[in-house]
Amino acid sequence: AKERAKQLKAVIKEGGKKGVELEGASDMGGLDFFCTSVDTPDGDMEFLKECVSAMNAEPDPSAEERKGGAGHIGKMVFSAGAKQLIMVATVPADKQSKVNAKEWMAHVAASVGGKPVGEQSAAIAHGEADADPDKGKFPIKMKDTALAAGIAYLKEKGCFPEGGDDDDDSDVAFGDDAFDDL
């Protein structure tokens, strides 16, 4: 129990920091949707839910270090563990006309032979995909496939910038790899 409490603290810290990153990207790039992954939950759904909650938390203006602030961004967050890939999608009410979390999750989970699990609604959805080493299905590789599927889904919905267009589009989404070229 002590070990889980220690890991939970790390999970919440990572979520808070990732939330600040997403908020910054949103402010700079007009970002509405995002696909990202986190390390500390290590394929544990309870931890991933806590991590996403920390991302979405209202920042405390009096806190020494800013945390959270990404509640206004639609996001799908992945965590690869040894035995499975887990996923949580959250879409704020004002973005649900563009992207439905339940439909987004169904699409992404299917891309890696996974399935939606637990709560499924327009606002929040959970998914998991089990590893199968005999068939070459490893959670760390499945995460990349799922991330790409999440971004492809956003592109289909017109919520992710296609390469090469210069029009001023406010419906922007980025994945972790979008920052590699900066």
Side-chain angles (χ1 to χ4, degrees), residues 82-95:
K83 294 182 169 38
Q84 65 180 358
L85 172 70
I86 55 170
M87 306 161 263
V88 172
T90 62
V91 179
D94 66 337
K95 310 257 185 320

Side-chain angles (χ1 to χ4, degrees), residues 50-147:
E50 290 290 341
C51 193
V52 172
S53 292
M55 284 180 202
N56 291 341
E58 263 321 300
D60 177 355
S62 65
E64 196 175 304
E65 189 181 3
R66 188 166 174 81
K67 294 186 214 92
H72 64 291
I73 302 166
K75 68 191 75 57
M76 186 169 294
V77 185
F78 305 94
S79 175
K83 294 182 169 38
Q84 65 180 358
L85 172 70
I86 55 170
M87 306 161 263
V88 172
T90 62
V91 179
D94 66 337
K95 310 257 185 320
Q96 290 170 12
S97 62
K98 295 177 186 169
V99 174
N100 175 303
K102 180 179 177 179
E103 293 168 6
W104 192 15
M105 180 59 69
H107 175 85
V108 173
S111 76
V112 288
K115 62 187 183 297
V117 294
E119 186 179 353
Q120 302 290 318
S121 70
I124 189 161
H126 306 102
E128 64 183 31
D130 293 330
D132 188 347
D134 296 339
K135 292 185 178 159
K137 286 177 65 176
F138 299 96
I140 197 86
K141 289 193 185 310
M142 292 159 54
K143 179 185 74 181
D144 295 338
T145 302
L147 195 84

